Amino acid sequence: MPSLPSLRARLPDITDRPIRAGFLLMPGFALLPYSSTVEPLRAANQLSGVTLFSWKHVSLDGRPVCASNGIAMVADHGLDEQPGFDIVFVCAGTGIEGFDHGPTLSWLRALARQGVLLAGISGGPYVLASAGVLDGYRATIHWDHMPGFAERFPKLALTGRLYEIDRDRITCSGGVAPLDLMHTLIAAWRGQELATAVSEWFIQSEVREPDRSQRMALQQRFRVSHPRLLDVLAQMEQRIEEPLDRDTLAQRAGLSVRQLERLFRGYLGRTIGAHYLELRLLRARTLMQQTTLSVLEVAVATGFVSATHFSRCYAKRFGHAPRHERRTDGVSDRSHVVIRQVHVAKG
């Protein structure tokens, strides 16, 4: 667990007023992790009978901003206003990977110089890293963003945990993980008893430690109970760039290739090769959508012997060529979604 005394030390004198939180909502932000962050603050106020936390919403231009599900959130401020926050949560979702909005990044750097706590929720760490304010810090991000995030920011200490609290930087993987994060923050700032009451309020029967896995165990994901098959599945997920052949996988499992193939067909309904190919192609799609790697570089990173073979397999699986993921007609180019939406809002 993060050190509660170290967290308390970040806000040592705020006992006579609410802790002021800002929510920087990026276009297309994910609503669930945002709600899992702000709702515990509301519950803390309601359960304590005192306004312990206050919050305002910030958008890039001061206008309403839409979540990924289309719900519009009214902003209280734009980037040109300085409401005086103690902590700012940057909330983002899919499509944030290519974000490069100078005023936003400058705003975050200014907050960092002022000693404001900065927190990235779900895709938010992308924005913080782009601003350079995560340099030298441990960080995490949603598991789906991790391959692209690691490629773009190779020098960051990426941990993959549910959340990270490293001095005055906080990063959270998203989903419902902010409930676990906010339990820790409320306990640090307003006491363990209140934090427990808030968690129970949301029927959170278990508060997870930050080092818990973001994803379900393989046994749950694939509904597989065979220990040797589970071990092979784990090895496959760990060896995407340099795939292991069937003979090696079978040998490591202490089985014959025929026995291992029978297990795959019986439990997963597919062959060893088909399952491995699916894992590699899903990773390739993530890299095509979230990075600027070339088709050849993505092919190499996912264990294909040539760009031609990779493109053929990709088209067969997804119905279009890999480069289609980066079209610039506003349909599939995820790396420019946020910039386009900002420009539309301004226009």
Side-chain angles (χ1 to χ4, degrees):
M1 286 288 290
S3 168
L4 295 187
S6 68
L7 290 176
R8 295 188 185 103
R10 292 300 310 163
L11 298 172
D13 301 321
I14 302 179
T15 56
D16 59 346
R17 65 168 176 81
I19 293 175
R20 299 169 301 195
F23 286 85
L24 176 59
L25 303 180
M26 310 302 296
F29 72 97
L31 192 60
L32 178 60
Y34 156 76
S35 299
S36 298
T37 305
V38 71
E39 280 296 288
L41 302 182
R42 178 191 64 81
N45 288 347
Q46 186 166 342
L47 291 171
S48 67
V50 180
T51 303
L52 299 175
F53 300 94
S54 65
W55 53 91
K56 296 288 185 180
H57 296 93
V58 181
S59 70
L60 306 192
D61 55 8
R63 298 181 184 182
V65 56
C66 284
S68 58
N69 62 1
I71 293 178
M73 185 73 67
V74 175
D76 300 292
H77 302 285
L79 296 176
D80 55 342
E81 301 177 65
Q82 295 288 334
F85 295 126
D86 301 304
I87 181 170
V88 168
F89 296 93
V90 181
C91 300
T94 299
I96 198 66
E97 298 84 12
F99 182 78
D100 186 21
H101 185 240
T104 302
L105 304 183
S106 296
W107 188 72
L108 290 170
R109 286 190 286 265
L111 291 178
R113 289 192 296 270
Q114 296 164 18
V116 176
L117 276 75
L118 297 178
I121 306 296
S122 192
Y126 253 110
V127 183
L128 296 181
S130 297
V133 297
L134 285 184
D135 294 351
Y137 290 85
R138 296 189 313 276
T140 191
I141 198 168
H142 189 286
W143 64 265
D144 187 50
H145 287 293
M146 285 183 64
F149 192 79
E151 287 286 345
R152 183 172 175 188
F153 305 105
K155 295 182 180 180
L156 291 185
L158 184 61
T159 68
R161 303 192 336 156
L162 287 180
Y163 63 88
E164 281 288 352
I165 301 175
D166 186 0
R167 292 159 288 168
D168 51 359
R169 297 291 183 273
I170 300 169
T171 47
C172 183
S173 56
V176 295
L179 288 176
D180 305 290
L181 167 65
M182 299 311 290
H183 177 96
T184 298
L185 295 181
I186 292 171
W189 293 333
R190 300 309 192 195
Q192 184 65 57
E193 184 177 352
L194 178 60
T196 299
V198 168
S199 294
E200 290 199 317
W201 180 272
F202 292 112
I203 317 179
Q204 187 183 13
S205 57
E206 179 190 9
V207 178
R208 296 173 295 176
E209 299 288 336
D211 57 358
R212 289 280 291 275
S213 173
Q214 291 189 31
R215 305 194 67 183
M216 288 183 177
L218 289 171
Q219 184 173 359
Q220 293 175 296
R221 265 194 280 155
F222 295 108
R223 297 185 179 181
V224 169
S225 58
H226 196 289
R228 295 188 184 185
L229 178 55
L230 287 170
D231 183 60
V232 170
L233 290 172
Q235 291 185 58
M236 285 176 149
E237 294 201 349
Q238 294 164 7
R239 293 290 296 270
I240 298 295
E241 185 170 355
E242 298 178 356
L244 299 170
D245 58 41
R246 294 191 314 161
D247 291 336
T248 301
L249 288 170
Q251 183 180 13
R252 291 188 176 188
L255 299 168
S256 68
V257 172
R258 179 175 296 181
Q259 288 173 317
L260 186 57
E261 284 284 12
R262 189 179 301 120
L263 286 174
F264 266 82
R265 289 186 179 277
Y267 280 96
L268 278 70
R270 60 175 64 165
T271 65
I272 298 171
H275 181 74
Y276 219 157
L277 180 61
E278 176 74 0
L279 291 179
R280 292 158 57 204
L281 288 172
L282 289 175
R283 173 67 60 82
R285 184 173 62 172
T286 296
L287 292 174
M288 290 300 304
Q289 293 174 339
Q290 297 184 7
T291 74
T292 58
L293 294 176
S294 68
V295 172
L296 177 58
E297 288 171 325
V298 172
V300 171
T302 50
F304 289 88
V305 296
S306 71
T308 301
H309 180 226
F310 165 63
S311 296
R312 186 163 52 246
C313 292
Y314 198 98
K316 184 177 180 180
R317 171 62 177 83
F318 298 114
H320 55 258
R323 65 177 62 88
H324 176 90
E325 304 290 357
R326 294 173 180 168
R327 282 168 50 188
T328 57
D329 59 2
V331 177
S332 301
D333 185 9
R334 293 155 53 112
S335 66
H336 295 85
V337 168
V338 173
I339 301 299
R340 272 201 307 275
Q341 290 183 0
V342 172
H343 289 169
V344 169
K346 288 182 175 180

CSV table of all heavy atoms in Angstrom, one decimal, residues 176-211:
chain,number,residue,atom,x,y,z
A,176,VAL,N,-13.0,0.3,-13.0
A,176,VAL,CA,-13.4,0.6,-11.6
A,176,VAL,C,-12.3,0.7,-10.6
A,176,VAL,O,-12.5,0.9,-9.4
A,176,VAL,CB,-14.4,-0.5,-11.1
A,176,VAL,CG1,-15.7,-0.5,-11.9
A,176,VAL,CG2,-13.7,-1.9,-11.2
A,177,ALA,N,-11.0,0.7,-11.2
A,177,ALA,CA,-9.9,0.8,-10.3
A,177,ALA,C,-9.8,2.1,-9.5
A,177,ALA,O,-9.3,2.2,-8.4
A,177,ALA,CB,-8.6,0.6,-11.1
A,178,PRO,N,-10.4,3.2,-10.1
A,178,PRO,CA,-10.4,4.5,-9.3
A,178,PRO,C,-11.1,4.3,-7.9
A,178,PRO,O,-10.8,5.1,-7.0
A,178,PRO,CB,-11.1,5.5,-10.2
A,178,PRO,CG,-10.8,5.0,-11.5
A,178,PRO,CD,-10.8,3.5,-11.5
A,179,LEU,N,-12.0,3.4,-7.8
A,179,LEU,CA,-12.6,3.1,-6.5
A,179,LEU,C,-11.6,2.7,-5.5
A,179,LEU,O,-11.6,3.1,-4.3
A,179,LEU,CB,-13.7,2.1,-6.6
A,179,LEU,CG,-15.0,2.5,-7.3
A,179,LEU,CD1,-16.0,1.3,-7.4
A,179,LEU,CD2,-15.7,3.6,-6.6
A,180,ASP,N,-10.7,1.9,-5.9
A,180,ASP,CA,-9.6,1.4,-5.0
A,180,ASP,C,-8.6,2.6,-4.7
A,180,ASP,O,-8.2,2.8,-3.6
A,180,ASP,CB,-8.8,0.3,-5.6
A,180,ASP,CG,-9.7,-0.9,-6.0
A,180,ASP,OD1,-10.2,-1.5,-5.1
A,180,ASP,OD2,-10.0,-1.1,-7.2
A,181,LEU,N,-8.3,3.4,-5.7
A,181,LEU,CA,-7.4,4.5,-5.6
A,181,LEU,C,-8.1,5.5,-4.6
A,181,LEU,O,-7.4,6.0,-3.7
A,181,LEU,CB,-7.2,5.2,-6.9
A,181,LEU,CG,-6.5,6.6,-6.9
A,181,LEU,CD1,-5.1,6.5,-6.3
A,181,LEU,CD2,-6.5,7.2,-8.3
A,182,MET,N,-9.3,5.9,-4.8
A,182,MET,CA,-10.0,6.9,-4.0
A,182,MET,C,-10.1,6.5,-2.5
A,182,MET,O,-10.1,7.3,-1.6
A,182,MET,CB,-11.3,7.3,-4.6
A,182,MET,CG,-11.2,7.9,-6.0
A,182,MET,SD,-10.0,9.2,-6.2
A,182,MET,CE,-10.8,10.5,-5.2
A,183,HIS,N,-10.3,5.2,-2.3
A,183,HIS,CA,-10.3,4.7,-0.9
A,183,HIS,C,-9.0,5.1,-0.2
A,183,HIS,O,-9.0,5.5,0.9
A,183,HIS,CB,-10.5,3.1,-0.9
A,183,HIS,CG,-10.4,2.5,0.5
A,183,HIS,ND1,-11.5,2.3,1.2
A,183,HIS,CD2,-9.3,2.2,1.2
A,183,HIS,CE1,-11.2,1.8,2.4
A,183,HIS,NE2,-9.8,1.7,2.4
A,184,THR,N,-7.9,4.8,-0.9
A,184,THR,CA,-6.6,5.2,-0.4
A,184,THR,C,-6.4,6.7,-0.1
A,184,THR,O,-5.9,7.1,0.9
A,184,THR,CB,-5.5,4.7,-1.3
A,184,THR,OG1,-5.5,3.2,-1.4
A,184,THR,CG2,-4.1,5.0,-0.8
A,185,LEU,N,-6.8,7.5,-1.1
A,185,LEU,CA,-6.7,8.9,-1.0
A,185,LEU,C,-7.6,9.5,0.1
A,185,LEU,O,-7.1,10.3,0.9
A,185,LEU,CB,-7.0,9.6,-2.3
A,185,LEU,CG,-6.1,9.3,-3.5
A,185,LEU,CD1,-6.5,10.1,-4.7
A,185,LEU,CD2,-4.6,9.6,-3.1
A,186,ILE,N,-8.8,9.0,0.2
A,186,ILE,CA,-9.7,9.5,1.2
A,186,ILE,C,-9.2,9.1,2.6
A,186,ILE,O,-9.3,9.9,3.6
A,186,ILE,CB,-11.1,9.0,1.0
A,186,ILE,CG1,-11.7,9.7,-0.3
A,186,ILE,CG2,-12.0,9.3,2.2
A,186,ILE,CD1,-13.1,9.1,-0.7
A,187,ALA,N,-8.7,7.9,2.7
A,187,ALA,CA,-8.1,7.4,4.0
A,187,ALA,C,-6.9,8.3,4.4
A,187,ALA,O,-6.8,8.6,5.6
A,187,ALA,CB,-7.7,5.9,3.9
A,188,ALA,N,-6.1,8.7,3.4
A,188,ALA,CA,-4.9,9.5,3.7
A,188,ALA,C,-5.3,10.9,4.2
A,188,ALA,O,-4.8,11.5,5.1
A,188,ALA,CB,-4.0,9.5,2.5
A,189,TRP,N,-6.3,11.4,3.5
A,189,TRP,CA,-6.7,12.8,3.7
A,189,TRP,C,-7.7,13.1,4.8
A,189,TRP,O,-7.8,14.1,5.4
A,189,TRP,CB,-7.1,13.5,2.4
A,189,TRP,CG,-6.0,13.6,1.4
A,189,TRP,CD1,-4.7,13.7,1.7
A,189,TRP,CD2,-6.1,13.6,0.0
A,189,TRP,NE1,-3.9,13.8,0.5
A,189,TRP,CE2,-4.8,13.7,-0.6
A,189,TRP,CE3,-7.2,13.6,-0.9
A,189,TRP,CZ2,-4.6,13.8,-1.9
A,189,TRP,CZ3,-7.0,13.6,-2.3
A,189,TRP,CH2,-5.7,13.7,-2.8
A,190,ARG,N,-8.7,12.1,4.9
A,190,ARG,CA,-9.8,12.3,5.8
A,190,ARG,C,-10.1,11.2,6.7
A,190,ARG,O,-11.1,11.2,7.4
A,190,ARG,CB,-11.1,12.6,4.9
A,190,ARG,CG,-11.0,13.8,4.0
A,190,ARG,CD,-10.5,15.1,4.8
A,190,ARG,NE,-10.7,16.3,4.0
A,190,ARG,CZ,-10.1,17.5,4.3
A,190,ARG,NH1,-9.3,17.6,5.3
A,190,ARG,NH2,-10.4,18.5,3.5
A,191,GLY,N,-9.2,10.2,6.7
A,191,GLY,CA,-9.3,9.1,7.7
A,191,GLY,C,-9.8,7.8,7.2
A,191,GLY,O,-10.7,7.7,6.3
A,192,GLN,N,-9.3,6.7,7.8
A,192,GLN,CA,-9.7,5.4,7.4
A,192,GLN,C,-11.1,5.1,7.6
A,192,GLN,O,-11.8,4.4,6.7
A,192,GLN,CB,-8.8,4.4,8.1
A,192,GLN,CG,-9.0,2.9,7.7
A,192,GLN,CD,-8.6,2.7,6.2
A,192,GLN,OE1,-7.4,3.0,5.9
A,192,GLN,NE2,-9.5,2.2,5.4
A,193,GLU,N,-11.7,5.5,8.7
A,193,GLU,CA,-13.1,5.2,8.9
A,193,GLU,C,-14.0,5.7,7.8
A,193,GLU,O,-14.9,5.1,7.4
A,193,GLU,CB,-13.5,5.8,10.3
A,193,GLU,CG,-14.9,5.5,10.7
A,193,GLU,CD,-15.3,6.0,12.1
A,193,GLU,OE1,-14.4,6.5,12.8
A,193,GLU,OE2,-16.5,5.9,12.5
A,194,LEU,N,-13.8,7.0,7.4
A,194,LEU,CA,-14.6,7.5,6.3
A,194,LEU,C,-14.4,6.8,5.0
A,194,LEU,O,-15.3,6.5,4.3
A,194,LEU,CB,-14.3,9.0,6.1
A,194,LEU,CG,-15.1,9.7,5.0
A,194,LEU,CD1,-16.6,9.6,5.2
A,194,LEU,CD2,-14.6,11.2,4.9
A,195,ALA,N,-13.1,6.5,4.7
A,195,ALA,CA,-12.8,5.7,3.5
A,195,ALA,C,-13.5,4.4,3.4
A,195,ALA,O,-14.1,4.0,2.4
A,195,ALA,CB,-11.3,5.5,3.4
A,196,THR,N,-13.6,3.7,4.6
A,196,THR,CA,-14.3,2.4,4.7
A,196,THR,C,-15.8,2.6,4.5
A,196,THR,O,-16.4,1.8,3.7
A,196,THR,CB,-14.0,1.8,6.0
A,196,THR,OG1,-12.6,1.5,6.2
A,196,THR,CG2,-14.8,0.5,6.1
A,197,ALA,N,-16.3,3.7,5.0
A,197,ALA,CA,-17.7,3.9,4.9
A,197,ALA,C,-18.1,4.2,3.4
A,197,ALA,O,-19.1,3.8,2.9
A,197,ALA,CB,-18.2,5.1,5.8
A,198,VAL,N,-17.2,4.9,2.7
A,198,VAL,CA,-17.4,5.2,1.3
A,198,VAL,C,-17.4,4.0,0.5
A,198,VAL,O,-18.3,3.8,-0.4
A,198,VAL,CB,-16.4,6.3,0.8
A,198,VAL,CG1,-16.4,6.3,-0.7
A,198,VAL,CG2,-16.6,7.6,1.4
A,199,SER,N,-16.4,3.1,0.8
A,199,SER,CA,-16.4,1.9,0.0
A,199,SER,C,-17.6,1.0,0.2
A,199,SER,O,-18.1,0.4,-0.7
A,199,SER,CB,-15.1,1.1,0.4
A,199,SER,OG,-13.9,1.8,0.0
A,200,GLU,N,-18.1,0.9,1.5
A,200,GLU,CA,-19.3,0.2,1.7
A,200,GLU,C,-20.5,0.8,1.1
A,200,GLU,O,-21.4,0.1,0.6
A,200,GLU,CB,-19.5,0.0,3.2
A,200,GLU,CG,-18.5,-0.9,3.9
A,200,GLU,CD,-18.9,-1.3,5.3
A,200,GLU,OE1,-19.5,-0.5,6.0
A,200,GLU,OE2,-18.7,-2.5,5.6
A,201,TRP,N,-20.5,2.1,1.0
A,201,TRP,CA,-21.6,2.8,0.3
A,201,TRP,C,-21.8,2.4,-1.1
A,201,TRP,O,-22.9,2.2,-1.6
A,201,TRP,CB,-21.3,4.3,0.4
A,201,TRP,CG,-22.3,5.3,-0.2
A,201,TRP,CD1,-22.3,5.7,-1.5
A,201,TRP,CD2,-23.4,5.9,0.4
A,201,TRP,NE1,-23.4,6.5,-1.7
A,201,TRP,CE2,-24.0,6.7,-0.5
A,201,TRP,CE3,-23.8,5.9,1.7
A,201,TRP,CZ2,-25.1,7.5,-0.3
A,201,TRP,CZ3,-25.0,6.7,2.0
A,201,TRP,CH2,-25.6,7.5,1.0
A,202,PHE,N,-20.7,2.1,-1.8
A,202,PHE,CA,-20.7,1.6,-3.1
A,202,PHE,C,-20.7,0.1,-3.3
A,202,PHE,O,-20.4,-0.4,-4.3
A,202,PHE,CB,-19.5,2.3,-3.9
A,202,PHE,CG,-19.7,3.7,-4.1
A,202,PHE,CD1,-18.8,4.6,-3.5
A,202,PHE,CD2,-20.7,4.2,-4.9
A,202,PHE,CE1,-19.0,6.0,-3.6
A,202,PHE,CE2,-20.9,5.6,-5.1
A,202,PHE,CZ,-20.0,6.5,-4.4
A,203,ILE,N,-21.0,-0.6,-2.2
A,203,ILE,CA,-21.0,-2.0,-2.2
A,203,ILE,C,-19.7,-2.6,-2.7
A,203,ILE,O,-19.6,-3.6,-3.4
A,203,ILE,CB,-22.2,-2.6,-3.0
A,203,ILE,CG1,-23.5,-1.8,-2.7
A,203,ILE,CG2,-22.4,-4.1,-2.6
A,203,ILE,CD1,-24.7,-2.3,-3.4
A,204,GLN,N,-18.6,-2.0,-2.3
A,204,GLN,CA,-17.3,-2.4,-2.6
A,204,GLN,C,-16.8,-3.3,-1.5
A,204,GLN,O,-16.2,-2.9,-0.6
A,204,GLN,CB,-16.3,-1.2,-2.8
A,204,GLN,CG,-14.9,-1.6,-3.3
A,204,GLN,CD,-14.0,-0.4,-3.5
A,204,GLN,OE1,-14.3,0.7,-2.9
A,204,GLN,NE2,-12.9,-0.5,-4.1
A,205,SER,N,-17.1,-4.6,-1.6
A,205,SER,CA,-16.8,-5.5,-0.5
A,205,SER,C,-15.4,-5.8,-0.3
A,205,SER,O,-14.9,-6.3,0.7
A,205,SER,CB,-17.6,-6.8,-0.7
A,205,SER,OG,-17.3,-7.4,-1.9
A,206,GLU,N,-14.6,-5.5,-1.3
A,206,GLU,CA,-13.1,-5.7,-1.2
A,206,GLU,C,-12.4,-4.5,-1.9
A,206,GLU,O,-12.7,-4.1,-3.0
A,206,GLU,CB,-12.7,-7.0,-2.0
A,206,GLU,CG,-11.2,-7.2,-1.9
A,206,GLU,CD,-10.8,-8.4,-2.9
A,206,GLU,OE1,-11.6,-8.8,-3.7
A,206,GLU,OE2,-9.6,-8.8,-2.8
A,207,VAL,N,-11.5,-3.9,-1.1
A,207,VAL,CA,-10.6,-2.9,-1.6
A,207,VAL,C,-9.3,-3.5,-2.0
A,207,VAL,O,-8.6,-4.1,-1.2
A,207,VAL,CB,-10.4,-1.8,-0.6
A,207,VAL,CG1,-9.5,-0.7,-1.1
A,207,VAL,CG2,-11.7,-1.1,-0.1
A,208,ARG,N,-9.0,-3.4,-3.3
A,208,ARG,CA,-7.9,-4.1,-3.9
A,208,ARG,C,-6.6,-3.4,-3.6
A,208,ARG,O,-6.6,-2.1,-3.7
A,208,ARG,CB,-8.1,-4.4,-5.4
A,208,ARG,CG,-9.2,-5.3,-5.7
A,208,ARG,CD,-9.5,-5.3,-7.2
A,208,ARG,NE,-9.9,-4.0,-7.7
A,208,ARG,CZ,-10.1,-3.8,-9.0
A,208,ARG,NH1,-9.9,-4.8,-9.9
A,208,ARG,NH2,-10.5,-2.6,-9.4
A,209,GLU,N,-5.5,-4.1,-3.4
A,209,GLU,CA,-4.2,-3.6,-3.3
A,209,GLU,C,-3.8,-3.1,-4.7
A,209,GLU,O,-4.2,-3.7,-5.7
A,209,GLU,CB,-3.2,-4.6,-2.7
A,209,GLU,CG,-3.5,-5.1,-1.4
A,209,GLU,CD,-3.3,-4.1,-0.3
A,209,GLU,OE1,-2.4,-3.2,-0.5
A,209,GLU,OE2,-3.9,-4.2,0.8
A,210,PRO,N,-2.9,-2.1,-4.8
A,210,PRO,CA,-2.5,-1.6,-6.1
A,210,PRO,C,-1.8,-2.6,-6.9
A,210,PRO,O,-1.7,-2.4,-8.2
A,210,PRO,CB,-1.7,-0.4,-5.7
A,210,PRO,CG,-1.2,-0.6,-4.3
A,210,PRO,CD,-2.3,-1.3,-3.7
A,211,ASP,N,-1.2,-3.6,-6.4
A,211,ASP,CA,-0.4,-4.5,-7.2
A,211,ASP,C,-1.2,-5.7,-7.7
A,211,ASP,O,-0.7,-6.6,-8.3
A,211,ASP,CB,0.8,-5.1,-6.4
A,211,ASP,CG,0.4,-5.7,-5.0
A,211,ASP,OD1,-0.8,-5.7,-4.7
A,211,ASP,OD2,1.3,-6.2,-4.3
